[in-house]
Amino acid sequence: MSDLKKAKSALISVFSKDGLGPIVKKLNDLGITIYSTGGTEKFIRDLGINVVPVEEVTSYPSILGGRVKTLHPKVFGGILNRQDNETDVKELNQYEIPQIDIVIVDLYPFEKTLASGASEQDIIEKIDIGGISLIRAAAKNFKDVLCVSSVEDYKDFENLLVEKNGETSLADRKHFAGKAFNISSHYDTAIFNYFNTEGKVKVHKESIQSGKELRYGENPHQKGTFYGDFDAMFAKLHGKELSYNNLLDVDAAVNLINEFKGESPTFAILKHNNACGLAQRDTIHQAYLDALAGDPVSAFGGVLISNVEIDKVTAEEIHKLFCEVVIAPSFSGEAEEILKGKKNRILLIQKDTELPKKQVRTCLNGVLVQDKDNKTDALIDLKEATNNKPTDTELSDLLFASKICKHTKSNTIVLAKNKQLCASGTGQTSRVDALRHSIEKARSFKFDLNGAVMASDAFFPFPDCVEIAGKAGITAVIQPGGSIKDQLSIDYCNENNIAMVITGTRHFKH
């Protein structure tokens, strides 16, 4: 037995009329009775198409300033009745309830209204009641009713009407029902999160409406999907599809370079979410060269990012390096053409987009949620802990190193000099190991550490780190403090003419 159903009636109540005209005309051509109300009814009439006002069905006007229009048994009975149930069919006839086969709804734009900075009253008025109820009713009864729940689905529904001349299969109706419940759950999540901005209700709800399947996850045997609006953050100019690992590196790169927004030309090179090179100079060309000098070996296959436009001379240097991704606020025309010389190289223009204020990650059988570490150490935060005070140059380097340290995997030590990353020890189980690794790496690339500075993401429990650093030539240290043995490190610095400043803010990154 065929599960195809020929539609005879449709109820339309939408906020957005964009793309609705062709649907209404096709419904009319197919002889389908159209019910509507309010602005949608007027829109249909203006097309010269006959429409039955919902008020004629309910014998009740729209009331309370339009808050109550479709909430009526004669509307919901027409949607929720089971057409293979004799009692339901009998009651439809008894109460003169018309059968409704198609429901087309587009909800009030709650999220857009919220994002616009509207008043609370305007936001509340954009919480749809009738529309969301129609969606849930029609989607629940997908066995008999097809529900179109968003302007985004108008075109798919129009194509379905054309292809099947008003008939739909059970699979069609169930597919649209799934979309409808996605719309309703997302809508309710946005409303809940608005009311729970202070987090007093201890639940986590998140809904992201766009997803892209990736070639694979972190490794080829793992599946991966990115959920988010990538195009809102970047304009992709060139290159292959981004991988799971590319996206993680791009995320790390964007968060790092944002620390230098509006500052002198700054260039960073990242590998496995950590900076392997970073420098700030008068020109982006010199910044790139000095960032590359920080670790030309790790730069191979890395992600590159600039805080200013990449010009021709910089692009010519970058083109000599195999790199996965290059990101900048813009590229000169000549730079873009040069960098497109490698067909797989990904070129991204970073847009000025607000990033989420929360971080979410899976943990055990749930998730961990925290505020992002949006604290950037500034001059005003620094407490001079030693008798020897840092020079202006050292202070500048200390804050520079602190920004990098904040975005490097713990335990970490960052060594910098003259606004250039000399080396970092990343992800070590011991802070001493992180320091030794950074010193060894800096020396391997011929950096002179005399006069360099050291940044630590957490306090020093013993004076061993400042002792090792001092012997390597480090003359100034920035650290959060907080150890019960802080004074031991301070004393060593005082005895050996090393300047130390304490920020009071730890920057663990796990």
Side-chain angles (χ1 to χ4, degrees), residues 18 55 128 139 146 152 157 210-211 233 270-271 283 287 298 359 364 385 421 484 496:
D18 295 341
E55 291 83 355
D128 207 313
L146 186 138
E152 303 297 329
F157 176 62
S210 54
M233 283 204 64
L270 289 89
K271 196 74 172 287
T283 68
S298 295
Q359 285 182 316
L364 302 176
L421 172 62
I484 59 173
N496 292 274

XYZ file of all heavy atoms in Angstrom, residues 18 55 128 139 146 152 157 210-211 233 270-271 283 287 298 359 364 385 421 484 496:
157
model
N 10.041 36.000 2.488
C 11.012 35.811 1.404
C 10.928 34.391 0.854
O 11.097 33.415 1.589
C 12.439 36.075 1.906
C 12.654 37.520 2.311
O 11.856 38.374 1.885
O 13.620 37.788 3.061
N -9.744 33.090 11.259
C -10.879 33.556 12.069
C -12.206 32.979 11.592
O -13.123 32.779 12.390
C -10.923 35.090 12.040
C -9.777 35.777 12.778
C -8.505 35.892 11.955
O -8.474 35.351 10.821
O -7.543 36.506 12.440
N 7.997 33.365 20.140
C 6.836 32.865 19.408
C 6.116 31.798 20.222
O 6.753 30.892 20.775
C 7.292 32.276 18.070
C 6.212 32.326 17.011
O 5.082 31.939 17.326
O 6.511 32.759 15.883
N 4.687 18.423 13.367
C 5.802 17.473 13.325
C 5.463 16.189 14.063
O 5.826 15.090 13.628
C 7.050 18.114 13.914
N 2.598 17.383 6.800
C 3.961 17.824 6.494
C 4.163 19.210 7.088
O 3.344 20.098 6.885
C 4.211 17.854 4.990
C 5.673 18.166 4.608
C 6.145 17.274 3.470
C 5.849 19.636 4.237
N 14.387 28.714 5.713
C 15.496 27.973 5.111
C 15.018 26.740 4.351
O 15.740 26.223 3.488
C 16.499 27.549 6.192
C 17.078 28.689 7.022
C 17.880 29.675 6.193
O 18.476 29.241 5.194
O 17.901 30.871 6.544
N 10.890 22.633 0.031
C 9.462 22.295 -0.022
C 8.883 22.646 -1.386
O 8.084 21.883 -1.947
C 8.702 23.033 1.078
C 7.219 22.808 1.030
C 6.683 21.541 1.198
C 6.349 23.872 0.797
C 5.311 21.321 1.142
C 4.976 23.668 0.740
C 4.456 22.393 0.912
N 24.714 24.808 12.217
C 25.420 24.443 10.991
C 26.549 23.480 11.323
O 27.254 23.646 12.321
C 25.984 25.689 10.297
O 26.786 26.439 11.186
N 26.706 22.478 10.484
C 27.753 21.488 10.695
C 28.362 21.056 9.373
O 27.697 21.074 8.334
N 33.520 33.821 10.303
C 34.837 34.188 10.843
C 35.872 34.433 9.765
O 36.783 35.239 9.941
C 35.349 33.090 11.770
C 34.712 33.090 13.137
S 35.797 32.311 14.336
C 37.199 33.413 14.335
N 52.472 28.722 14.149
C 52.031 27.745 15.149
C 52.137 26.330 14.616
O 51.960 26.072 13.417
C 50.584 28.006 15.574
C 50.349 29.262 16.429
C 50.080 30.469 15.548
C 49.204 29.056 17.406
N 52.386 25.427 15.538
C 52.422 23.996 15.222
C 51.810 23.261 16.404
O 52.212 23.482 17.553
C 53.880 23.572 15.004
C 54.056 22.236 14.313
C 53.728 22.315 12.825
C 54.105 21.028 12.102
N 55.566 20.900 11.951
N 57.746 46.323 10.287
C 57.106 45.851 9.057
C 56.708 44.400 9.223
O 57.357 43.648 9.975
C 58.041 45.968 7.836
O 59.127 45.036 7.995
C 58.578 47.382 7.696
N 58.783 41.068 10.631
C 58.137 40.264 11.682
C 58.079 38.802 11.275
O 58.326 37.900 12.088
C 56.737 40.798 11.969
N 60.321 23.613 12.994
C 58.918 23.359 13.342
C 57.952 24.111 12.427
O 56.796 23.712 12.270
C 58.645 23.771 14.792
O 59.371 22.967 15.686
N 34.261 28.294 27.210
C 34.928 27.140 26.626
C 34.214 25.879 27.091
O 33.856 25.767 28.264
C 36.393 27.071 27.064
C 37.288 28.077 26.363
C 38.732 27.933 26.780
O 39.025 27.781 27.960
N 39.650 27.988 25.828
N 34.850 12.947 31.044
C 34.180 11.755 31.588
C 32.868 11.519 30.839
O 32.869 11.402 29.626
C 33.983 11.923 33.095
C 35.275 12.150 33.911
C 34.964 12.400 35.378
C 36.218 10.965 33.745
N 58.497 42.745 42.453
C 58.767 41.921 43.634
C 60.216 42.010 44.108
O 60.532 41.627 45.238
C 58.426 40.467 43.325
N 60.071 35.810 20.041
C 60.068 34.548 20.779
C 61.373 33.816 20.499
O 61.666 33.467 19.347
C 58.876 33.689 20.348
C 58.825 32.255 20.891
C 58.715 32.241 22.417
C 57.660 31.482 20.269
N 53.728 29.429 48.440
C 54.095 29.749 49.827
C 55.605 29.962 49.942
O 56.088 30.475 50.952
C 53.642 28.633 50.805
C 54.274 27.287 50.439
C 52.125 28.534 50.832
C 53.992 26.196 51.454
N 71.061 38.083 42.703
C 71.737 37.902 41.418
C 71.303 38.927 40.360
O 71.451 38.693 39.154
C 71.490 36.478 40.898
C 72.177 35.431 41.748
O 73.346 35.123 41.539
N 71.450 34.885 42.724
